Amino acid sequence: AQTVTQSQPEMSVQEAETVTLSCTYDTSESDYYLFWYKQPPSRQMILVIRQEAYKQQNATENRFSVNFQKAAKSFSLKISDSQLGDAAMYFCAYLGPPNTGNQFYFGTGTSLTVIP
Amino acid sequence: KAGVTQTPRYLIKTRGQQVTLSCSPISGHRSVSWYQQTPGQGLQFLFEYFSETQRNKGNFPGRFSGRQFSNSRSEMNVSTLELGDSALYLCASSLAAGGPETQYFGPGTRLLVL
């Protein structure tokens, strides 16, 4: 089975600074998809950013960007200009090739604190 | 468009009882997946339904079951509840199964088993 590892249970960042959350995964597939989801306290999980493995270019969504290293099976999330509203649990997730259904594999999460 | 809705939002049950949770996907979405979230185990996949058929099933005992209706709404049932079933149960919908579809999550149902 695929595994997703987030080695940082907790991280903190000063408001307006940059923080990077780490994620590694294990798969034998060549075609797959990676996601970062954000789960604020007592609120529902929302998509932050997604990356298709066949794309070499790193995905970017406003202040959020990823560093996707396919050979190293690494998928880190960089949050620039951190804001108080970025405080949440962040989950890295893996989705297999299109013919394997919609079973997401999640990491254990990183709790991000933003310090004013 | 309305998001994914889950009912009820909170439930308290006792050991041995059974419970049914409901999930209404985003309009037009045909795939519904269920996840169990606990502090100890994190997010674990329960099962996925598409067009009223179970496509994938996670590593959970047979006490956990589900179904999907023709309008794509889904229910999951847990019979003979155990203390360890206390968790946040998340439902996620996506447009179709078998494609690189982003999953959209509902707010969850928080189940407490006493």
Side-chain angles (χ1 to χ4, degrees), chain B residues 26-89:
Chain B
I26 292 171
S27 177
H29 284 196
R30 298 171 62 192
S31 171
V32 174
S33 299
W34 289 89
Y35 294 85
Q36 181 195 65
Q37 185 176 22
T38 60
Q41 300 296 319
L43 280 150
Q44 293 188 286
F45 174 78
L46 280 155
F47 26 65
E48 177 208 355
Y49 286 87
F50 177 74
S51 292
E52 302 177 64
T53 301
Q54 187 181 88
R55 275 181 52 98
N56 284 303
K57 183 170 168 43
N59 189 27
F60 278 82
R63 301 185 296 108
F64 291 81
S65 62
R67 59 178 175 169
Q68 186 180 34
F69 301 95
S70 58
N71 62 357
S72 294
R73 188 177 71 86
S74 177
E75 288 181 348
M76 69 163 280
N77 183 277
V78 188
S79 62
T80 318
L81 284 166
E82 300 177 359
L83 296 179
D85 297 334
S86 294
L88 180 67
Y89 289 88

Side-chain angles (χ1 to χ4, degrees), chain A residues 33 35 37 39 42-47 50 52 89 91 95 97-108, chain B residues 4 31 33 35 37 43 45 48 55-58 88 90 94 96-107:
Chain A
Y33 307 85
F35 302 78
Y37 279 89
Q39 188 178 39
S42 301
R43 295 180 63 183
Q44 66 195 81
M45 191 138 43
I46 58 174
L47 176 70
R50 61 177 270 170
E52 289 81 2
M89 184 73 84
F91 292 96
L95 175 65
N99 62 347
T100 59
N102 276 349
Q103 180 172 351
F104 275 44
Y105 295 87
F106 285 90
T108 51
Chain B
V4 178
S31 171
S33 299
Y35 294 85
Q37 185 176 22
L43 280 150
F45 174 78
E48 177 208 355
R55 275 181 52 98
N56 284 303
K57 183 170 168 43
L88 180 67
L90 294 171
S94 57
E101 300 291 342
T102 297
Q103 293 196 358
Y104 296 87
F105 285 82

Side-chain angles (χ1 to χ4, degrees), chain A residues 1-5 23-34 73 92-108, chain B residues 43-45 56:
Chain A
Q2 282 71 15
T3 57
V4 178
T5 302
C23 172
T24 58
Y25 57 93
D26 185 27
T27 184
S28 58
E29 305 285 355
S30 59
D31 184 18
Y32 52 87
Y33 307 85
L34 297 165
K73 297 180 181 174
C92 176
Y94 166 96
L95 175 65
N99 62 347
T100 59
N102 276 349
Q103 180 172 351
F104 275 44
Y105 295 87
F106 285 90
T108 51
Chain B
L43 280 150
Q44 293 188 286
F45 174 78
N56 284 303

